[in-house]
Coordinates of all heavy atoms in Angstrom, one line a residue:
M1 N -79.9 -45.8 -128.9 CA -78.6 -45.3 -129.3 C -78.5 -43.8 -129.0 O -79.5 -43.1 -129.2 CB -78.3 -45.6 -130.7 CG -76.9 -45.2 -131.2 SD -76.6 -45.8 -132.8 CE -74.8 -46.0 -132.7
D2 N -77.4 -43.4 -128.6 CA -77.2 -41.9 -128.2 C -76.8 -41.2 -129.5 O -75.6 -41.0 -129.8 CB -76.1 -41.8 -127.2 CG -75.9 -40.4 -126.7 OD1 -76.8 -39.6 -126.9 OD2 -74.8 -40.1 -126.2
W3 N -77.8 -40.8 -130.3 CA -77.5 -40.1 -131.5 C -76.9 -38.7 -131.4 O -76.0 -38.3 -132.1 CB -78.8 -40.0 -132.4 CG -79.2 -41.3 -132.9 CD1 -80.2 -42.1 -132.5 CD2 -78.7 -42.0 -134.0 NE1 -80.3 -43.2 -133.2 CE2 -79.4 -43.2 -134.2 CE3 -77.6 -41.7 -134.9 CZ2 -79.0 -44.1 -135.2 CZ3 -77.3 -42.6 -135.9 CH2 -78.0 -43.8 -136.0
A4 N -77.3 -38.0 -130.3 CA -76.7 -36.7 -130.1 C -75.3 -36.8 -129.8 O -74.4 -36.0 -130.3 CB -77.5 -36.0 -128.9
G5 N -74.9 -37.8 -129.0 CA -73.5 -38.0 -128.6 C -72.7 -38.4 -129.9 O -71.5 -37.9 -130.1
L6 N -73.2 -39.2 -130.7 CA -72.6 -39.6 -131.9 C -72.3 -38.5 -132.9 O -71.2 -38.3 -133.4 CB -73.4 -40.7 -132.6 CG -72.8 -41.3 -133.9 CD1 -71.6 -42.1 -133.6 CD2 -73.8 -42.1 -134.6
I7 N -73.3 -37.6 -133.0 CA -73.2 -36.5 -133.9 C -72.2 -35.5 -133.3 O -71.4 -34.9 -134.1 CB -74.6 -35.8 -134.1 CG1 -75.5 -36.7 -134.9 CG2 -74.5 -34.4 -134.7 CD1 -77.0 -36.3 -134.9
V8 N -72.2 -35.3 -132.0 CA -71.2 -34.4 -131.4 C -69.8 -35.0 -131.6 O -68.8 -34.2 -131.9 CB -71.5 -34.2 -129.9 CG1 -70.3 -33.6 -129.2 CG2 -72.7 -33.4 -129.7
N9 N -69.6 -36.3 -131.5 CA -68.3 -36.9 -131.7 C -67.8 -36.7 -133.1 O -66.6 -36.4 -133.4 CB -68.3 -38.4 -131.3 CG -68.3 -38.6 -129.8 OD1 -68.0 -37.7 -129.1 ND2 -68.8 -39.7 -129.4
V10 N -68.7 -36.9 -134.1 CA -68.3 -36.8 -135.5 C -68.0 -35.3 -135.8 O -67.0 -35.0 -136.5 CB -69.4 -37.3 -136.4 CG1 -69.1 -36.9 -137.9 CG2 -69.6 -38.8 -136.3
A11 N -68.8 -34.4 -135.2 CA -68.5 -33.0 -135.4 C -67.1 -32.6 -134.8 O -66.4 -31.8 -135.4 CB -69.6 -32.2 -134.7
A12 N -66.8 -33.2 -133.6 CA -65.5 -32.9 -133.0 C -64.4 -33.4 -133.9 O -63.3 -32.7 -133.9 CB -65.5 -33.6 -131.6
I13 N -64.5 -34.5 -134.5 CA -63.4 -35.0 -135.4 C -63.2 -34.0 -136.5 O -62.1 -33.7 -136.9 CB -63.8 -36.4 -135.9 CG1 -63.7 -37.4 -134.8 CG2 -62.9 -36.8 -137.1 CD1 -64.3 -38.8 -135.2
F14 N -64.3 -33.6 -137.1 CA -64.2 -32.6 -138.3 C -63.7 -31.3 -137.8 O -62.9 -30.6 -138.5 CB -65.5 -32.5 -139.0 CG -65.7 -33.7 -139.9 CD1 -66.7 -34.6 -139.6 CD2 -64.9 -33.9 -141.0 CE1 -66.9 -35.7 -140.4 CE2 -65.1 -35.0 -141.9 CZ -66.2 -35.9 -141.6
I15 N -64.1 -30.8 -136.6 CA -63.6 -29.6 -136.1 C -62.1 -29.6 -135.8 O -61.3 -28.7 -136.1 CB -64.3 -29.2 -134.8 CG1 -65.8 -28.8 -135.1 CG2 -63.6 -28.0 -134.0 CD1 -66.7 -28.7 -133.9
G16 N -61.6 -30.8 -135.2 CA -60.2 -30.9 -135.0 C -59.4 -31.0 -136.3 O -58.3 -30.4 -136.4
L17 N -59.9 -31.6 -137.3 CA -59.3 -31.7 -138.6 C -59.2 -30.3 -139.2 O -58.2 -29.9 -139.8 CB -60.0 -32.6 -139.5 CG -59.5 -32.8 -140.9 CD1 -58.1 -33.4 -140.9 CD2 -60.4 -33.7 -141.8
A18 N -60.3 -29.5 -139.1 CA -60.3 -28.2 -139.7 C -59.3 -27.3 -138.9 O -58.6 -26.5 -139.6 CB -61.7 -27.6 -139.6
I19 N -59.2 -27.4 -137.6 CA -58.3 -26.6 -136.9 C -56.9 -27.0 -137.3 O -56.0 -26.1 -137.6 CB -58.4 -26.8 -135.3 CG1 -59.8 -26.3 -134.8 CG2 -57.3 -26.2 -134.6 CD1 -60.1 -26.7 -133.4
F20 N -56.6 -28.2 -137.4 CA -55.2 -28.7 -137.8 C -54.9 -28.2 -139.2 O -53.8 -27.6 -139.4 CB -55.1 -30.2 -137.7 CG -53.8 -30.8 -138.3 CD1 -52.7 -30.6 -137.5 CD2 -53.8 -31.5 -139.4 CE1 -51.5 -31.1 -138.0 CE2 -52.6 -32.0 -139.9 CZ -51.4 -31.8 -139.2
L21 N -55.8 -28.4 -140.2 CA -55.5 -27.9 -141.5 C -55.4 -26.4 -141.6 O -54.6 -25.9 -142.4 CB -56.6 -28.5 -142.5 CG -56.6 -30.0 -142.7 CD1 -57.8 -30.4 -143.6 CD2 -55.3 -30.4 -143.3
G22 N -56.2 -25.7 -140.9 CA -56.1 -24.3 -140.8 C -54.7 -23.8 -140.3 O -54.1 -22.9 -140.9
I23 N -54.2 -24.4 -139.3 CA -52.9 -24.0 -138.7 C -51.8 -24.4 -139.7 O -50.9 -23.6 -140.0 CB -52.7 -24.7 -137.4 CG1 -53.7 -24.1 -136.3 CG2 -51.3 -24.5 -136.9 CD1 -53.7 -24.8 -135.0
I24 N -51.9 -25.7 -140.2 CA -50.8 -26.1 -141.1 C -50.7 -25.3 -142.4 O -49.6 -25.1 -142.9 CB -51.0 -27.6 -141.4 CG1 -50.7 -28.4 -140.1 CG2 -50.1 -28.1 -142.5 CD1 -49.3 -28.3 -139.6
N25 N -51.8 -24.9 -142.9 CA -51.8 -24.1 -144.2 C -51.6 -22.7 -144.0 O -51.5 -21.9 -145.0 CB -53.2 -24.3 -144.9 CG -53.3 -25.7 -145.5 OD1 -52.3 -26.3 -145.9 ND2 -54.5 -26.3 -145.5
S26 N -51.5 -22.2 -142.7 CA -51.1 -20.8 -142.5 C -49.6 -20.6 -142.7 O -48.8 -21.5 -142.8 CB -51.6 -20.4 -141.1 OG -50.7 -21.0 -140.1
K27 N -49.3 -19.3 -142.7 CA -47.8 -19.0 -142.9 C -47.1 -19.5 -141.7 O -46.0 -20.0 -141.8 CB -47.7 -17.4 -143.0 CG -46.3 -17.0 -143.2 CD -46.2 -15.5 -143.2 CE -44.8 -15.0 -143.3 NZ -44.6 -13.6 -143.2
W28 N -47.6 -19.3 -140.5 CA -46.9 -19.8 -139.3 C -46.8 -21.3 -139.3 O -45.7 -21.8 -138.9 CB -47.7 -19.3 -138.0 CG -47.1 -19.7 -136.7 CD1 -46.2 -18.9 -136.1 CD2 -47.3 -20.9 -136.0 NE1 -45.8 -19.6 -135.0 CE2 -46.4 -20.8 -134.9 CE3 -48.0 -22.0 -136.1 CZ2 -46.3 -21.8 -133.9 CZ3 -48.0 -23.0 -135.2 CH2 -47.1 -22.9 -134.1
G29 N -47.8 -22.0 -139.7 CA -47.8 -23.5 -139.8 C -46.7 -24.0 -140.7 O -46.1 -25.0 -140.5
K30 N -46.6 -23.3 -141.9 CA -45.6 -23.7 -142.8 C -44.2 -23.5 -142.3 O -43.3 -24.2 -142.6 CB -45.8 -23.0 -144.2 CG -47.1 -23.4 -144.9 CD -47.3 -22.7 -146.1 CE -48.7 -23.2 -146.7 NZ -49.0 -22.4 -147.9
E31 N -44.0 -22.4 -141.5 CA -42.7 -22.2 -140.9 C -42.3 -23.1 -139.8 O -41.2 -23.3 -139.5 CB -42.7 -20.7 -140.4 CG -42.7 -19.7 -141.4 CD -42.9 -18.3 -140.8 OE1 -42.9 -18.1 -139.6 OE2 -42.9 -17.3 -141.6
H32 N -43.4 -23.7 -139.2 CA -43.1 -24.6 -138.1 C -43.6 -26.1 -138.4 O -44.2 -26.7 -137.5 CB -43.9 -24.1 -136.8 CG -43.4 -22.8 -136.4 ND1 -43.8 -21.6 -136.8 CD2 -42.4 -22.5 -135.5 CE1 -43.2 -20.6 -136.2 NE2 -42.3 -21.1 -135.4
Q33 N -43.2 -26.6 -139.5 CA -43.6 -27.9 -139.9 C -42.8 -29.0 -139.0 O -43.3 -30.1 -138.9 CB -43.3 -28.2 -141.4 CG -44.3 -27.5 -142.3 CD -44.1 -27.9 -143.7 OE1 -43.1 -28.5 -144.1 NE2 -45.1 -27.6 -144.5
D34 N -41.8 -28.6 -138.4 CA -41.0 -29.5 -137.6 C -41.8 -29.9 -136.3 O -41.4 -30.9 -135.7 CB -39.6 -28.9 -137.2 CG -39.7 -27.6 -136.6 OD1 -40.6 -26.8 -136.9 OD2 -38.8 -27.2 -135.8
I35 N -42.7 -29.1 -135.9 CA -43.5 -29.4 -134.7 C -45.0 -29.8 -135.1 O -45.9 -29.5 -134.3 CB -43.5 -28.2 -133.7 CG1 -44.1 -27.0 -134.3 CG2 -42.1 -28.0 -133.1 CD1 -44.3 -25.8 -133.3
Q36 N -45.1 -30.4 -136.2 CA -46.4 -30.8 -136.8 C -47.2 -31.7 -135.8 O -48.4 -31.6 -135.6 CB -46.3 -31.5 -138.1 CG -47.6 -31.8 -138.8 CD -47.3 -32.4 -140.2 OE1 -46.2 -32.6 -140.6 NE2 -48.4 -32.6 -140.9
Y37 N -46.5 -32.6 -135.1 CA -47.2 -33.6 -134.2 C -47.7 -32.8 -133.0 O -48.8 -33.1 -132.5 CB -46.3 -34.7 -133.8 CG -46.0 -35.6 -135.0 CD1 -44.7 -35.7 -135.5 CD2 -47.0 -36.4 -135.6 CE1 -44.4 -36.6 -136.5 CE2 -46.7 -37.2 -136.6 CZ -45.4 -37.3 -137.1 OH -45.2 -38.1 -138.2
F38 N -47.0 -31.8 -132.5 CA -47.4 -31.0 -131.4 C -48.7 -30.2 -131.8 O -49.6 -30.1 -131.0 CB -46.3 -30.1 -130.9 CG -46.8 -29.2 -129.8 CD1 -47.0 -29.7 -128.5 CD2 -47.0 -27.9 -130.0 CE1 -47.4 -28.9 -127.5 CE2 -47.4 -27.0 -129.0 CZ -47.6 -27.6 -127.7
I39 N -48.6 -29.7 -133.0 CA -49.8 -28.9 -133.5 C -51.0 -29.8 -133.6 O -52.1 -29.4 -133.3 CB -49.4 -28.2 -134.9 CG1 -48.3 -27.2 -134.7 CG2 -50.7 -27.6 -135.5 CD1 -47.8 -26.7 -136.0
M40 N -50.8 -31.0 -134.1 CA -51.9 -32.0 -134.2 C -52.5 -32.3 -132.8 O -53.7 -32.4 -132.7 CB -51.4 -33.3 -134.9 CG -52.5 -34.3 -135.2 SD -51.9 -35.9 -135.9 CE -50.7 -35.4 -137.0
L41 N -51.6 -32.5 -131.8 CA -52.1 -32.8 -130.5 C -52.9 -31.6 -129.9 O -53.9 -31.8 -129.3 CB -50.9 -33.0 -129.6 CG -51.2 -33.3 -128.1 CD1 -52.0 -34.6 -128.0 CD2 -49.9 -33.4 -127.3
V42 N -52.4 -30.4 -130.2 CA -53.2 -29.2 -129.7 C -54.5 -29.1 -130.4 O -55.5 -28.8 -129.8 CB -52.3 -27.9 -129.9 CG1 -53.1 -26.7 -129.7 CG2 -51.1 -28.0 -129.0
A43 N -54.6 -29.4 -131.7 CA -55.8 -29.4 -132.4 C -56.8 -30.4 -131.9 O -58.0 -30.2 -131.8 CB -55.6 -29.6 -133.9
V44 N -56.3 -31.6 -131.6 CA -57.2 -32.7 -131.1 C -57.7 -32.3 -129.7 O -58.9 -32.5 -129.4 CB -56.4 -34.0 -131.1 CG1 -57.2 -35.1 -130.3 CG2 -56.2 -34.5 -132.5
L45 N -56.8 -31.8 -128.9 CA -57.2 -31.3 -127.5 C -58.3 -30.2 -127.6 O -59.2 -30.2 -126.8 CB -56.0 -30.9 -126.7 CG -55.1 -32.0 -126.2 CD1 -53.9 -31.4 -125.6 CD2 -55.8 -33.0 -125.3
A46 N -58.1 -29.3 -128.5 CA -59.0 -28.2 -128.7 C -60.4 -28.8 -129.2 O -61.5 -28.3 -128.7 CB -58.5 -27.2 -129.7
A47 N -60.3 -29.8 -130.1 CA -61.6 -30.4 -130.5 C -62.3 -31.1 -129.4 O -63.5 -31.1 -129.3 CB -61.3 -31.3 -131.7
C48 N -61.5 -31.7 -128.5 CA -62.1 -32.4 -127.3 C -62.8 -31.4 -126.4 O -63.9 -31.7 -125.9 CB -61.1 -33.2 -126.6 SG -60.5 -34.6 -127.5
V49 N -62.2 -30.3 -126.2 CA -62.8 -29.2 -125.4 C -64.1 -28.7 -126.0 O -65.1 -28.6 -125.4 CB -61.8 -28.1 -125.1 CG1 -62.5 -26.9 -124.5 CG2 -60.7 -28.6 -124.3
I50 N -64.0 -28.5 -127.3 CA -65.2 -28.0 -128.1 C -66.3 -29.1 -128.0 O -67.5 -28.8 -127.8 CB -64.8 -27.7 -129.5 CG1 -63.9 -26.4 -129.5 CG2 -66.1 -27.4 -130.4 CD1 -63.3 -26.1 -130.9
A51 N -65.9 -30.3 -128.1 CA -66.9 -31.4 -128.1 C -67.5 -31.5 -126.7 O -68.7 -31.7 -126.6 CB -66.3 -32.8 -128.4
G52 N -66.8 -31.3 -125.7 CA -67.3 -31.3 -124.3 C -68.3 -30.2 -124.1 O -69.4 -30.4 -123.5
V53 N -68.0 -29.0 -124.7 CA -69.0 -27.9 -124.6 C -70.2 -28.2 -125.4 O -71.3 -27.9 -124.9 CB -68.3 -26.6 -125.1 CG1 -69.3 -25.4 -125.2 CG2 -67.1 -26.2 -124.1
L54 N -70.0 -28.8 -126.6 CA -71.2 -29.1 -127.4 C -72.1 -30.2 -126.7 O -73.3 -30.1 -126.7 CB -70.8 -29.7 -128.7 CG -70.3 -28.7 -129.8 CD1 -69.8 -29.4 -131.0 CD2 -71.4 -27.7 -130.2
R55 N -71.4 -31.2 -126.0 CA -72.2 -32.2 -125.3 C -73.0 -31.5 -124.2 O -74.1 -31.9 -123.9 CB -71.3 -33.2 -124.7 CG -70.9 -34.3 -125.6 CD -70.1 -35.3 -124.8 NE -69.7 -36.4 -125.7 CZ -70.4 -37.5 -126.0 NH1 -71.5 -37.6 -125.4 NH2 -70.0 -38.4 -126.8
L56 N -72.4 -30.5 -123.5 CA -73.1 -29.8 -122.4 C -74.3 -29.0 -123.0 O -75.3 -29.1 -122.4 CB -72.1 -28.9 -121.7 CG -72.6 -28.1 -120.5 CD1 -72.9 -29.0 -119.4 CD2 -71.6 -27.0 -120.1
L57 N -74.1 -28.4 -124.1 CA -75.1 -27.6 -124.7 C -76.2 -28.5 -125.2 O -77.4 -28.2 -125.0 CB -74.6 -26.7 -125.8 CG -73.7 -25.6 -125.3 CD1 -73.1 -24.8 -126.5 CD2 -74.4 -24.6 -124.4
V58 N -75.9 -29.6 -125.9 CA -76.9 -30.5 -126.4 C -77.6 -31.1 -125.2 O -78.9 -31.3 -125.3 CB -76.2 -31.6 -127.3 CG1 -77.2 -32.7 -127.6 CG2 -75.7 -30.9 -128.6
G59 N -76.9 -31.4 -124.2 CA -77.6 -32.0 -123.0 C -78.6 -31.1 -122.4 O -79.6 -31.5 -121.8
M60 N -78.3 -29.8 -122.4 CA -79.2 -28.8 -121.9 C -80.5 -28.6 -122.7 O -81.5 -28.5 -122.2 CB -78.5 -27.4 -121.8 CG -77.5 -27.3 -120.7 SD -76.7 -25.7 -120.8 CE -76.2 -25.4 -119.2
V61 N -80.3 -28.7 -124.0 CA -81.4 -28.6 -125.0 C -82.3 -29.8 -124.9 O -83.5 -29.7 -125.0 CB -80.9 -28.3 -126.4 CG1 -82.0 -28.3 -127.4 CG2 -80.1 -27.0 -126.5
L62 N -81.7 -31.0 -124.9 CA -82.5 -32.2 -125.0 C -82.8 -32.6 -123.6 O -83.4 -32.8 -122.9 CB -81.7 -33.3 -125.6 CG -81.3 -33.1 -127.1 CD1 -80.6 -34.3 -127.6 CD2 -82.6 -32.9 -127.9

């Protein structure tokens, strides 16, 4: 089983959630609650990019 990949995927989920909650709880996020789904999409895409970089780094180390 690809444990490193699994750990990176779980980390990406939590990173995306943290990005989303950080934006939504900010002053700007509270002012723009009408575009919450767009903010969620951006947070998920950012988490995917971060996960890709983490996979690259983990692949280099292992």
